[in-house]
Amino acid sequence: MTEAVFQKERHIKYFLRCLKTFLPSLYTSNDSNRVLLAYFTVAGLDLLGELYNKTTSEERQGYVEWIYHCQVPSGGFRGFTGTDFGSERRTPENEAWDPANIPSTFFALVILLILGDDLSRVKRTECLQWLSKMQRENGSFGEVLGTEGKIEGGGDLRFCCFGAGTRYILRGKCGDGLEGIMDIDVDKLVAFIEACQAYDGGIGEGPFCESHSGHTYCAIGALTFLDRLSKNHKPIALLSPKTGPFESLVRWLVTRQTCELGDDEEESDEEDGHGVDEIGPLSATVEEPSLDTKVDQLPVVPPETEDSLRWAGFNGRCNKYADTCYSFWNTASLNMMNRLTLVDATRNRRYLLEKTQHIVGGFGKGVGEPPDLLHSYFGLVSLAFQGEPGLESVDPALCASQRAVRHLHSLPWWQETKR
């Protein structure tokens, strides 16, 4: 059985193409999310250890300037420059036409850190003031501020994670220069996240919603950001081993690993003898079959074999096929909970490298699918968690290289006040 090979050079070429040439036309609808696409691209090259080798200082400075062009005067970052109608035309009445949004703000800050910027031009005070206005009464966060300061957009755990992450980056350990700036309501945010845990242990987008690995990651990521800045440490159940919420969540995350890859060919109607043109007797459509008949009609599920268990990726919900990005969402959550060793790393690696790693570089969503930026980056990160040679180590909450995290922690507001 040959060893799966990580095609590093092909991945480098893939991310360089995405950075320095036009993206495929399918990305057109994501024009307003350019900051997110920039994050995947820049962070991908950084994770491969080639960002500073394959780009010039002038190019990197150009990327920094573009990010700052996305900064909104009243705080936060927009998703792209297309909505910027000029600061001289901006008024309190029309600023809702060009709003900052929480995801773009978080990703813009992370990109700046990866590029080595010191965040000195970030409107830090304004951004944190804006952030506190984005929190709803139930503790969750919206996406943008609309007219008359109304909180608009989704209220699920994605925005909670990005809100907590933005706070983490900009408040720092000592909160230097933020005297009198109102903080978010941390207790309400924690309570909202805890209320999103479902009966099976997983976490949904909101209370009483179906468990989902992506939202689970956002929940654990938000709690990790909050916990790292906690001065009066109050234990969080979802981060505390041996508590019911923690253990049931670990169990749910581990059971997301699956050998159901979605690469089996479906039997055609002709093959199973039940074509659409086949007409049976009228009595057969009227009579209710017996229980024994129903049991006899159940499909035969063959037992797993050594070959079928060779690959095991992750799904995001029960009874779904594996998907490259869920190798990230699940392993990152387990990493933050210090339970990554429960994963079958060998089979996850084989799934990523032999089933979704693409011949031109990057990773596809599933078996045989073309690469895209999101799945390509998350495929790399999941491999990095497992110590894949050729990849930098990654902070699972910030979802950026440890080098970028060290740079963040070197900034003035991260230095502990000396007494």
Side-chain angles (χ1 to χ4, degrees):
M1 196 176 290
T2 59
E3 181 70 16
V5 178
F6 175 57
Q7 302 289 353
K8 180 175 179 176
E9 291 303 316
R10 294 181 184 179
H11 293 298
I12 293 171
K13 290 179 181 179
Y14 172 77
F15 281 100
L16 280 174
R17 284 196 300 272
C18 292
L19 180 66
K20 297 191 176 186
T21 64
F22 292 110
L23 291 173
S25 60
L26 291 176
Y27 286 91
T28 302
S29 59
N30 283 297
D31 199 34
S32 61
N33 293 321
R34 284 194 188 184
V35 166
L36 175 61
L37 300 179
Y39 160 75
F40 288 138
T41 311
V42 171
L45 283 170
D46 186 44
L47 187 53
L48 288 160
E50 294 295 330
L51 176 63
Y52 284 76
N53 296 329
K54 300 297 184 180
T55 60
T56 65
S57 59
E58 291 77 15
E59 286 174 327
R60 294 192 296 275
Q61 188 57 40
Y63 306 150
V64 168
E65 295 303 321
W66 185 83
I67 293 295
Y68 276 114
H69 286 160
C70 292
Q71 185 168 211
V72 172
S74 53
F77 289 76
R78 54 177 77 87
F80 76 136
T81 56
T83 57
D84 182 11
F85 47 82
S87 57
E88 69 282 355
R89 297 185 181 90
R90 191 181 185 89
T91 67
E93 290 73 30
N94 67 22
E95 64 179 0
W97 302 349
D98 176 37
N101 70 75
I102 281 189
S104 293
T105 299
F106 174 76
F107 290 121
L109 293 172
V110 175
I111 294 170
L112 291 173
L113 291 171
I114 293 172
L115 292 170
D117 185 73
D118 62 4
L119 307 190
S120 60
R121 287 188 282 166
V122 172
K123 296 181 180 295
R124 183 168 164 244
T125 299
E126 292 86 344
C127 186
L128 289 171
Q129 288 175 326
W130 162 78
L131 185 65
S132 64
K133 297 175 184 176
M134 296 294 294
Q135 189 172 22
R136 292 190 169 100
E137 185 60 31
N138 67 356
S140 69
F141 281 81
E143 185 177 2
V144 298
L145 281 183
T147 55
E148 299 180 354
K150 182 181 178 182
I151 302 173
E152 296 181 352
D156 58 63
L157 290 173
R158 293 172 299 172
F159 306 106
C160 295
C161 182
F162 299 139
T166 299
R167 173 184 181 267
Y168 173 77
I169 293 171
L170 295 182
R171 289 198 75 87
K173 279 289 185 183
C174 65
D176 181 49
L178 299 178
E179 295 77 11
I181 302 300
M182 186 175 69
D183 196 3
I184 66 171
D185 192 321
V186 171
D187 291 338
K188 277 189 175 181
L189 177 54
V190 172
F192 176 79
I193 294 171
E194 291 177 332
C196 294
Q197 187 170 27
Y199 71 94
D200 56 4
I203 300 173
E205 63 180 287
F208 309 111
C209 291
E210 180 187 12
S211 297
H212 188 284
S213 295
H215 291 290
T216 296
Y217 167 83
C218 290
I220 300 303
L223 294 177
T224 299
F225 286 132
L226 298 176
D227 193 53
R228 289 177 180 179
L229 292 186
S230 176
K231 291 182 172 63
N232 301 313
H233 189 75
K234 180 180 177 182
I236 300 173
L238 279 166
L239 298 183
S240 303
K242 298 184 179 180
T243 64
F246 180 94
E247 299 300 336
S248 63
L249 177 54
V250 169
R251 189 180 307 111
W252 185 85
L253 286 167
V254 171
T255 56
R256 300 279 60 75
Q257 191 161 19
T258 177
C259 59
E260 295 292 337
L261 310 184
D263 56 346
D264 296 328
E265 293 185 5
E266 296 288 340
E267 291 185 347
S268 66
D269 287 336
E270 291 76 13
E271 290 173 336
D272 62 19
H274 296 286
V276 292
D277 295 329
E278 183 178 335
I279 301 176
L282 181 60
S283 60
T285 64
V286 175
E287 295 176 1
E288 178 69 22
S290 67
L291 180 59
D292 289 339
T293 302
K294 289 181 178 180
V295 171
D296 291 338
Q297 291 175 347
L298 289 174
V300 176
V301 180
E304 298 294 348
T305 64
E306 182 179 352
D307 189 59
S308 68
L309 290 172
R310 182 180 178 186
W311 305 277
F314 286 82
N315 61 29
R317 293 179 289 157
C318 295
N319 299 316
K320 296 293 183 179
Y321 292 131
D323 180 326
T324 296
C325 69
Y326 291 116
S327 285
F328 164 75
W329 300 120
N330 290 287
T331 58
S333 300
L334 288 166
N335 196 341
M336 288 184 281
M337 299 173 77
N338 197 28
R339 291 294 184 272
L340 187 57
T341 55
L342 298 176
V343 166
D344 189 327
T346 300
R347 286 174 171 80
N348 181 51
R349 181 177 184 273
R350 286 176 183 158
Y351 165 70
L352 292 171
L353 297 184
E354 296 181 353
K355 291 295 186 179
T356 67
Q357 179 178 230
H358 201 274
I359 191 172
V360 302
F363 291 83
K365 172 184 171 68
V367 179
E369 297 196 40
D372 64 78
L373 276 168
L374 182 149
H375 290 92
S376 296
Y377 182 61
F378 287 153
L380 292 182
V381 176
S382 184
L383 290 170
F385 290 152
Q386 299 178 180
E388 184 69 34
L391 292 174
E392 302 295 317
S393 58
V394 180
D395 178 88
L398 210 62
C399 200
S401 67
Q402 293 289 356
R403 182 196 60 78
V405 175
R406 289 192 295 273
H407 174 57
L408 166 64
H409 293 167
S410 72
L411 300 181
W413 55 87
W414 273 92
Q415 307 307 306
E416 295 284 2
T417 304
K418 295 181 180 179
R419 297 186 182 277

